Amino acid sequence: MPEAHTITEGQTALGALGDALAKAGAESISGQREKLAEGLLRASLKQWEDPAVRPQLLADLTAAITDEAGAEKMRAFMSAQSSQIFSQLGKALGLEQTLDINEVAEILKVPPLNINAAQAQVWGMVILRYILRLEPISSASSDELVTLIAPTIQRYLVG
């Protein structure tokens, strides 16, 4: 499983999640593309399973669903050029410029909509597992979830 990215002083839970996803994405893009979805999903689950990070991630997700300012924060995190995920991915890939969702889609050679579809799979799992605590997904192991969901995400991101 990818190394944990704990929250450092001054960093948010979304920042730690962005760091973890960027590192996993960069490793797969510059190495084993066939492991891209697995790496991203494992990195995400590692953050969500961390008891120090999860409450903050849940607060950000709840704010995104219930408040326009929270939604704007999540949109910026997930797709804008200032996006923590994509700008950190650019740095992890050794690029000098920050990336946005369209540039990442170009690197992956998929439509940007595919990236949103992959995000929807992960956020849907997060809502069922950590907010609704719906069984059996809430008690499934991370390995079970990766085995189940990664192939769909892989199809979106690699084709």
Side-chain angles (χ1 to χ4, degrees):
M1 204 167 224
E3 91 182 47
H5 290 305
T6 57
I7 300 174
T8 60
E9 188 175 331
Q11 186 181 41
T12 65
L14 284 178
L17 179 60
D19 282 343
L21 293 171
K23 183 174 186 224
E27 287 174 359
S28 293
I29 288 170
S30 45
Q32 295 182 309
R33 287 280 291 261
E34 69 276 3
K35 298 283 188 179
L36 179 59
E38 180 181 341
L40 292 171
L41 193 52
R42 285 189 186 284
S44 182
L45 285 165
K46 186 80 167 175
Q47 293 303 300
W48 280 98
E49 293 296 321
D50 184 331
V53 178
R54 185 186 314 154
Q56 293 173 49
L57 289 173
L58 286 170
D60 287 333
L61 179 56
T62 301
I65 294 170
T66 61
D67 176 82
E68 182 54 34
E72 181 54 40
K73 180 180 177 180
M74 193 63 75
R75 281 191 293 272
F77 171 73
M78 294 173 63
S79 68
Q81 186 151 27
S82 62
S83 157
Q84 290 176 308
I85 297 172
F86 298 138
S87 65
Q88 291 163 316
L89 175 60
K91 288 177 190 171
L93 288 171
L95 303 174
E96 292 188 25
Q97 80 275 12
T98 59
L99 301 173
D100 65 18
I101 191 170
N102 295 309
E103 293 163 323
V104 172
E106 192 173 305
I107 289 169
L108 294 174
K109 296 179 179 31
V110 299
L113 183 59
N114 285 30
I115 294 173
N116 284 157
Q119 291 168 328
Q121 289 287 313
V122 175
W123 288 105
M125 179 220 36
V126 164
I127 289 169
L128 293 176
R129 184 173 173 89
Y130 301 107
I131 293 178
L132 298 178
R133 295 185 195 120
L134 186 66
E135 288 297 342
I137 200 168
S138 70
S139 61
S141 71
S142 292
D143 287 338
E144 288 174 298
L145 294 174
V146 169
T147 299
L148 179 65
I149 298 169
T152 298
I153 295 171
Q154 185 75 12
R155 183 179 63 80
Y156 290 142
L157 298 180
V158 178

